[in-house]
Structures are given as C-alpha cells and as structure tokens.
C-alpha cells in the first residue's frame, strides 16, 4: 500500500564528506536518507551489505511525520537523488515493494527517474523490471515519457556517461516498447510528450521518431475502431489510460507482493529504424 510522502523538489548538491564523519557527525545517527541526500553511495552500499548492519531509513524523530520516507517509497527517494544503478539494484532486492508503490503524486520510481535525470542504465533497468509503470499517468496526467521529455535533460548529472542523442533515443525506444500509447496521451495541461520534447529542444532525429510513433499509434487505433473521428479516439485513449491506472491502484492495494517478470517484458522496438509494429502490445492494453 502506498503511503503519502513529500519528495524534496529542490535540486540537491553532493556533499563531499569523509565516511567517518558521516557515521559520527556531531553525534547524529546514520540513516539511509542522510547518506542518500549527501550522495554517499559507496558508504551506503558498504553499510547496507553488512550482515550486522541495521540502518534506519529515516531519523526516529521523523518517522510518522509528514516528511518521513516509508520503506515502500525509498526507491522513489533514491531516484530523486540520481542513485547509481548498483544502488537501485540493491534496493530492489531489499525493498521490492517500493517498485510497486506510487507516491502522493501518483508517481512510480520510473516517473521520478525520468524527471530527475537518472542514468540511462538506471531508467532502462526500471523499465525492464516493471514495464507497466511506463503506461501509468500520475495525478498530473503525466506518463514517464512526459517527464523524460519535460525535465530529463535539465537534471541529468551523470558525469560517467556522456548524454548523447543516441542515448536519449535508446530510452525513448524502451519507453515506447513498454507503453506505445503513452506517447499520444495528453496530461492535465493538455500536452503530450512530443510537445515537451520540442520545448526541451530535443534533437530533430528524436522528434521525428516520436512523431512517427504517435502517427502509427493513432493509425492503429483508427483501424481497430473502424475509422472513429480523432476526438472520439482521444476520449477512448483517455478511458483506456484511466482503466490502466485504476486497475494498477487496485492491484497495489490488494497484492503488493506481485511482480512483473522480466521474461514477460516485450521485445525492444527500435522506433528510429521505423519498425513500429505495436499490434500485439496494443491488443494487450486496449
């Protein structure tokens, strides 16, 4: 079950602090959230893997408070601070329920990762681990692709990997494979992902690929609906999205232990090469 939380919205800065001072800094107790906000990833990894380690997620004084971080939202929190892939993988094993939970804005870890410029490998891992999250709109009507196009470039900080247009295209392809119809969905502001991509000055190669993806999805919907007008198709799409969201919310509350198998994830569809056969995926989602 998802608990409410407030994810810090200000951009954080890494703090270069010796490991010993993190453990005993001014007598404060080491917590996961403190190490995450300081981006002390190596120390966090080391402590989490210790057999006798029992690191609390948050300060005891914060537990139960408005800003406390419950365990079912801890992956959201580490994605907000651009945790490296090895940390995300570790937390998937330790807090699997977090991958199946949404925060008080209706966002899954994938939404946060796309919005806050996580590494390319991390986003692809989240898509592969839980592809249904790519289909779900948050409470502002945004799917993961909306967040990617709106603010990914703005927050990207991974100094170990150059942010190339091919890398962004790779993520776009992953999201399209998992959720083709999300590219055509309009958020609460009446914008689709393509409009955000144009506003964010995405490369024209990516823009054209997204245009083709949107076009082919509409064509498939029109074919299956026996040539309904566009407005009617848009209403059908919004209805499908609402059904997906409601079904997932019910699933979260009734079966938080269920997982989506990686073996059942759809095959990658490289939209940059024009292979846009989404019939099977569309049939499963409709």
């Amino acid at each position: 079950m998802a608990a409410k939380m407030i994810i810090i919205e200000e951009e954080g800065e890494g703090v270069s602090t010796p490991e010993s001072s993190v453990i005993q800094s001014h007598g404060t107790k080491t917590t996961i959230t403190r190490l995450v906000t300081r981006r002390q990833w190596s120390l966090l990894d080391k402590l989490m893997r210790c057999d006798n380690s029992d690191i609390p997620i948050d300060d005891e004084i914060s537990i139960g408070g408005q800003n406390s971080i419950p365990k079912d939202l801890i992956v959201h929190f580490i994605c907000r601070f651009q945790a490296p892939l090895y940390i995300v993988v570790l937390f998937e094993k330790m807090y699997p329920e977090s991958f199946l939970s949404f925060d008080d804005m209706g966002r899954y870890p994938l939404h946060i990762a796309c919005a806050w410029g996580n590494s390319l490998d991390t986003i692809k891992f989240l898509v592969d681990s839980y592809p249904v999250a790519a289909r779900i709109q948050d409470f502002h009507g945004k799917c993961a692709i909306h967040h990617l196009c709106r603010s990914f470039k703005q927050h990207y900080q991974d100094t170990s990997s150059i942010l190339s247009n091919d890398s962004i295209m790779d993520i776009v392809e992953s999201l399209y494979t998992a959720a083709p119809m999300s590219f055509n969905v309009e958020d609460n502001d009446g914008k689709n992902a393509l409009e955000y991509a144009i506003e964010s000055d995405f490369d024209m190669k990516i823009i054209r690929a997204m245009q083709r993806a949107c076009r082919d999805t509409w064509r498939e919907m029109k074919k299956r609906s026996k040539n309904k007008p566009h407005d009617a198709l848009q209403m059908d799409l919004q209805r499908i999205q609402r059904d997906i969201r409601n079904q997932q919310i019910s699933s979260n509350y009734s079966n938080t232990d269920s997982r989506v198998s990686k073996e059942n994830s759809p095959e990658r569809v490289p939209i940059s090469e024009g292979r846009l056969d989404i019939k099977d995926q569309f049939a499963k989602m409709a």
Side-chain angles (χ1 to χ4, degrees):
M1 183 181 298
K4 286 192 174 184
M5 67 170 284
I6 295 177
I7 291 180
I8 303 171
E9 293 297 340
E10 294 81 22
E11 291 192 45
E13 296 292 338
V15 179
S16 179
T17 307
E19 293 183 358
S20 59
S21 67
V22 175
I23 299 174
Q24 298 292 340
S25 178
H26 304 293
T28 58
K29 187 176 182 180
T30 300
T31 65
I32 291 176
T33 56
R34 183 171 290 114
L35 295 176
V36 169
T37 55
R38 294 176 177 179
R39 293 183 171 87
Q40 295 285 334
W41 306 121
S42 296
L43 178 58
L44 176 61
D45 180 59
K46 183 187 303 182
L47 294 177
M48 294 290 285
R49 293 181 186 276
C50 290
D51 293 336
N52 59 349
S53 177
D54 186 21
I55 314 175
I57 291 179
D58 220 334
D59 292 312
E60 293 182 5
I61 193 172
S62 299
I63 294 176
Q66 187 179 31
N67 291 314
S68 65
I69 309 299
K71 65 180 182 179
D72 59 340
L73 296 178
I74 187 60
V75 175
H76 302 63
F77 188 75
I78 67 174
C79 287
R80 161 60 187 86
F81 288 91
Q82 299 96 9
L85 177 60
Y86 70 91
I87 293 293
V88 177
V89 172
L90 175 62
F91 273 64
E92 182 204 25
K93 297 176 181 178
M94 302 190 72
Y95 302 100
E97 65 272 29
S98 188
F99 279 74
L100 301 170
S101 301
F102 53 88
D103 65 11
D104 63 344
M105 295 185 184
R107 302 173 299 185
Y108 287 82
L110 179 60
H111 294 76
I112 304 296
C114 289
W116 285 97
N118 279 222
S119 72
L120 311 180
D121 289 341
T122 295
I123 293 177
K124 289 163 66 175
F125 172 77
L126 292 171
V127 174
D128 291 341
S129 297
Y130 192 38
V132 71
R135 306 173 186 174
I136 299 174
Q137 291 174 273
D138 63 20
F139 296 157
H140 295 288
K142 290 179 173 60
C143 295
I145 186 62
H146 294 76
H147 287 292
L148 181 85
C149 295
R150 183 174 181 266
S151 57
F152 175 81
K153 289 174 64 177
Q154 174 186 347
H155 293 131
Y156 185 79
Q157 302 182 13
D158 187 5
T159 57
S160 66
S161 176
I162 298 175
L163 182 61
S164 66
N165 291 323
D166 288 341
S167 298
I168 297 177
M169 178 70 82
D170 201 28
I171 299 179
V172 171
E173 289 174 356
S174 293
L175 293 172
Y176 179 75
T177 299
M181 289 198 295
S182 67
F183 282 54
N184 297 68
V185 169
E186 293 181 352
D187 64 11
N188 294 358
D189 295 321
K191 291 184 177 181
N192 60 30
L194 180 59
E195 293 175 89
Y196 284 119
I198 294 172
E199 290 179 0
S200 298
D201 197 27
F202 272 36
D203 183 77
M204 280 307 301
K205 179 182 177 182
I206 300 173
I207 297 294
R208 286 193 292 268
M210 292 182 65
Q211 288 174 330
R212 290 194 298 269
C214 291
R215 177 201 64 195
D216 283 24
T217 301
W218 284 128
R219 284 179 177 175
E220 184 63 26
M221 289 188 68
K222 192 169 186 179
K223 179 180 177 181
R224 289 175 175 272
S225 65
K226 299 180 180 180
N227 295 318
K228 278 186 179 180
H230 183 81
D231 289 346
L233 290 178
Q234 184 66 256
M235 292 180 63
D236 286 346
L237 178 57
Q238 295 300 127
R239 175 186 56 78
I240 292 170
Q241 288 297 121
R242 284 196 302 271
D243 290 345
I244 291 173
R245 165 127 208 106
N246 292 337
Q247 181 181 12
Q248 197 58 32
I249 290 176
S250 299
S251 175
N252 280 5
Y253 280 95
S254 63
N255 187 16
T256 56
D257 292 329
S258 64
R259 297 303 307 271
V260 176
S261 171
K262 293 183 181 180
E263 287 76 9
N264 294 330
S265 298
E267 184 180 354
R268 292 290 302 280
V269 179
I271 62 177
S272 58
E273 298 179 13
R275 296 199 293 270
L276 297 170
D277 186 5
I278 60 171
K279 294 180 181 179
D280 292 339
Q281 298 166 50
F282 190 96
K284 293 177 182 178
M285 297 176 65

